[in-house]
Amino acid sequence: MLIDAHHHIWSLARPECRWPTAADGVLHRDFTLVEFRRVAGDAGVSGAVLIQTQESDADTDWLLTLADDPFVTAVVGWADLHAPHAPRRIAALARHPKLAGLRPMVQHRAADWYDDPALDAAFDAMEEAGLALDALVRVGHLASLERLARRRPDLAIAIDHAAKPAIGRSDGFAEWRRAIAPLADRPNMRCKLSGLLSECGDAPPEAVVPFILAMLELFGADRVMWGSDWPVLEASGRYADWLALARATVPERDHRAVFGGTARAFYATEAVEVRA
């Protein structure tokens, strides 16, 4: 069963929706679960992990209202991990059967964000509830994330979009590989094969191939999971084309893990066969 480990939906009319803006072009419209089911179902996807896009409790609450749809295998929400009430909020969210993880949006924050001891209470609560951490980061955050993984070996962590490497830059691969290799040594780390086309710049889509192969070499197929990053993907490619490129690059022996097995195990969900 083919599982998309990373997709989004949003509604511009919702008051908590601060992104995308008109400056984001084709992304500045509503993207619904109905549309996603059609696009993903046409590509043979059986279920998907729904990921937050807004730093808002209301957004997470809304996503959870959509989780009754059997196509949604899991939800990764948001909570303010610095808030005094974070442990209570995390415990409450974890009572929802499809809430599988949380994603603080760190990509534009300080490189040492994960080192802040003020986050300890929230991470304690996540571990107690069995929730995963999705790490929306850039390459410069990886050292701090590795320290977190070392301090908290029981916290399951997934690196979103392989930390957004500078694929279109000549030194991007070497810089990224040096930074991400130490995280592959942490057993609690996973890496998402998602969002890479958005980082290509002027480079052709095939420029992602060395990054995919390096992910498999470093982490192994059972710790790599494919995701579309739809609808952000719409700004740089088509769903079916991105899936085809990933499937052509990942050795066939690894397809079962990368295109479903890793995501099901990491998010501890059971996918059901659903067609759009």
Side-chain angles (χ1 to χ4, degrees):
M1 292 175 63
L2 178 55
I3 302 298
D4 183 338
H6 198 105
H7 84 96
H8 311 287
I9 63 169
W10 56 71
S11 170
L12 301 182
R14 293 191 60 81
E16 70 273 10
C17 187
R18 306 295 179 85
W19 180 90
T21 68
D24 295 296
V26 297
L27 301 182
H28 191 242
R29 67 173 179 87
D30 291 352
F31 287 90
T32 67
L33 187 56
V34 171
E35 182 180 1
F36 173 72
R37 284 186 56 155
R38 176 181 57 78
V39 172
D42 287 349
V45 172
S46 300
V49 181
L50 178 56
I51 311 288
Q52 62 78 230
T53 59
Q54 312 298 319
E55 294 179 297
S56 163
D57 289 335
D59 179 66
T60 295
D61 293 340
W62 174 57
L63 296 181
L64 290 173
T65 69
L66 305 175
D68 287 342
D69 190 309
F71 204 77
V72 178
T73 61
V75 174
V76 174
W78 178 90
D80 183 354
L81 302 190
H82 276 109
H85 66 272
R88 294 195 304 275
R89 171 66 173 166
I90 291 167
L93 286 171
R95 287 196 286 270
H96 193 288
K98 285 193 178 178
L99 195 283
L102 296 174
R103 186 172 84 144
M105 303 182 80
V106 181
Q107 62 179 342
H108 299 305
R109 305 200 184 279
D112 61 351
W113 191 86
Y114 293 102
D115 296 323
D116 188 350
L119 295 166
D120 285 346
F123 289 140
D124 287 344
M126 290 180 65
E127 288 185 13
E128 184 175 348
L131 296 179
L133 173 69
D134 263 50
L136 177 61
V137 296
R138 296 190 179 275
V139 173
H141 297 98
L142 289 175
S144 177
L145 186 62
E146 192 275 334
R147 291 190 291 270
L148 174 68
R150 200 164 0 113
R151 290 195 310 273
R152 292 183 172 272
D154 295 327
L155 180 63
I157 304 171
I159 307 170
D160 287 357
H161 317 320
K164 297 193 167 187
I167 294 172
R169 204 177 69 206
S170 60
D171 61 344
F173 179 80
E175 175 192 60
W176 168 80
R177 186 183 172 105
R178 282 194 304 270
I180 205 168
L183 285 88
D185 293 334
R186 312 311 311 173
N188 53 331
M189 298 294 309
R190 304 293 184 270
C191 194
K192 284 193 183 182
L193 171 49
S194 61
L196 298 183
L197 293 187
S198 299
E199 308 306 320
C200 280
D202 295 329
E206 292 73 23
V208 307
V209 168
F211 294 84
I212 295 174
L213 296 177
M215 269 184 266
L216 293 169
E217 175 192 346
L218 292 168
F219 288 87
D222 61 347
R223 293 198 292 147
V224 173
M225 55 186 122
W226 176 83
S228 66
D229 197 29
W230 186 93
V232 180
L233 173 67
E234 293 284 309
S236 52
R238 293 169 50 86
Y239 195 103
D241 293 341
W242 166 232
L243 176 57
L245 175 57
R247 295 188 76 163
T249 304
V250 175
E252 189 171 352
R253 66 178 181 273
D254 296 331
H255 280 199
R256 180 180 295 272
V258 172
F259 296 100
T262 302
R264 286 196 297 272
F266 182 77
Y267 290 113
T269 60
E270 291 297 327
V272 295
E273 190 76 13
V274 177
R275 284 288 179 256

